[in-house]
Amino acid sequence: MLQCRTLSLSLSYDDKMQKLTLIRPDDWHLHLRDGEALQAVLPHTVRQFARAIVMPNLKPPVRDLADAAAYRDRILAAIPAGKQFKPLMTLYLTDQTSPEDVLAAQASGFVQAVKYYPAGATTNAEFGVTDIRNCDPVFEVMQRLEMPLLLHGEVTDKAVDIFDREKVFIEQQLMPLRQRFPQLKVVMEHITTADAVEFVLVHDHIAATITPQHLLYNRNSLFNRGIRPHFYCLPILKRERHRQALLQAATSGNPKFFLGTDSAPHSRDRKENACGCAGCFSALHAIELYAEVFENANALDKLEAFASFYGPDFYQLPRNTEQITLIKTSWRIPDEVPFVDSQLVPLGAGSELMWQMA
Ligand code: NCD
Ligand code: ZN
């Protein structure tokens, strides 16, 4: 075995670069859904990841500690027998969320963060915040507790072009928020633009998650000899210049950027629809998708820290100690996997990947 010498990581390759061993990663942005859908998707995540930040956008949303405790119990009950997995819970911020809600959640030890959705921005965001200033008393407490605020960073104004909504959010909402709460810990979730990368780079206490789809594809993938609903997610894929900025950020070794799949399962019929749902399903093969990205960028030595170190460091949680192994072998992403009474189409279905988890 050849130890990777550029960084003192546990990442190791075998001599012919056919095997890659890394500390088991965590997913810092995941949709697990509930009920039968939860049962169907959770085993995929458990196979790859030790922990995940679980999004609270259920119907109705996870609004307080009691909701989070009950949802956590349902997740724990759905973990396949003999497997280990730790769900890290979040609260869904609404106009009614109180500082006491946040204090109680934080005291529980299992709620790690609060998720901000602008009302109507995405799937199940209709309970979201109507004006971010309504939440200043909550942010005050979060800043003091060093509890991260997770942002869906898009404005919802239909007059703003869909491809500009992240940039406009940064200008209109994030910059003023930052001025009001300069010490507040913030994760810009699933960033999609060079503007977001730039904002994260220059501000302290701000980090970002990056999805596989935003690293692998640009907006042309949505319209490739026809409309391609399985590439539709929010925030929407952007132009190539932005993908390049995300790639550079993810593979740079900067601890402000870490893995968050935003795997967001919707059944095939709800995607392949005249009004298709937003969300890409990647829990099946997430680490392999990221490995593909890092290999193509000649940055495999940066994969482990992005996937397994920088997330827990930002959340002030211990890093995992167990390892996973990826094997260099060409394999084809399946066309679909079973999902309740339908199917899920995995991100990049039908294409080839070069690394496979053992
Ligand atoms: C997510 C979902 O389906 O819950 N969809 C998506 O396109 N990412 C919601 C979200 O994170 O925006
Ligand atoms: Zn999401």
Side-chain angles (χ1 to χ4, degrees), residues 29 31 55 115 117 190 262:
H29 183 124
H31 299 271
M55 288 296 126
K115 178 69 190 275
Y117 291 102
H190 42 52
D262 194 20

Side-chain angles (χ1 to χ4, degrees), residues 122-188:
T122 185
T123 309
N124 299 348
E126 54 273 22
F127 295 91
V129 174
T130 55
D131 179 346
I132 195 163
R133 285 174 184 271
N134 293 343
C135 304
D136 279 3
V138 168
F139 300 149
E140 191 84 56
V141 170
M142 290 177 65
Q143 179 169 258
R144 183 157 50 77
L145 297 174
E146 297 183 16
M147 192 183 208
L149 175 68
L150 314 184
L151 296 178
H152 184 107
E154 287 190 290
V155 292
T156 53
D157 183 350
K158 297 286 179 276
V160 177
D161 190 284
I162 190 168
F163 295 99
D164 296 334
R165 287 180 192 168
E166 185 171 279
K167 179 176 161 49
V168 174
F169 177 87
I170 293 169
E171 291 160 3
Q172 293 185 352
Q173 303 205 23
L174 186 51
M175 285 181 176
L177 175 72
R178 173 77 194 174
Q179 275 160 11
R180 301 201 299 286
F181 300 98
Q183 310 288 324
L184 180 65
K185 279 182 92 161
V186 169
V187 183
M188 289 188 73

Side-chain angles (χ1 to χ4, degrees), residues 16-87:
K16 290 194 202 116
M17 300 284 285
Q18 297 301 304
K19 210 166 108 183
L20 184 58
T21 301
L22 63 153
I23 291 287
R24 185 177 285 277
D26 303 304
D27 186 347
W28 299 93
H29 183 124
L30 176 66
H31 299 271
L32 281 176
R33 313 303 191 206
D34 209 348
E36 288 180 280
L38 166 65
Q39 306 279 341
V41 294
L42 183 62
H44 299 300
T45 289
V46 169
R47 197 172 68 82
Q48 300 210 329
F49 296 102
R51 298 170 288 194
I53 284 279
V54 181
M55 288 296 126
N57 63 331
L58 303 181
K59 254 181 162 168
V62 177
R63 276 176 284 198
D64 58 22
L65 176 58
D67 295 341
Y71 185 31
R72 179 170 175 269
D73 286 345
R74 297 196 295 278
I75 296 167
L76 292 174
I79 297 172
K83 301 283 185 203
Q84 298 284 317
F85 178 71
K86 194 165 185 185

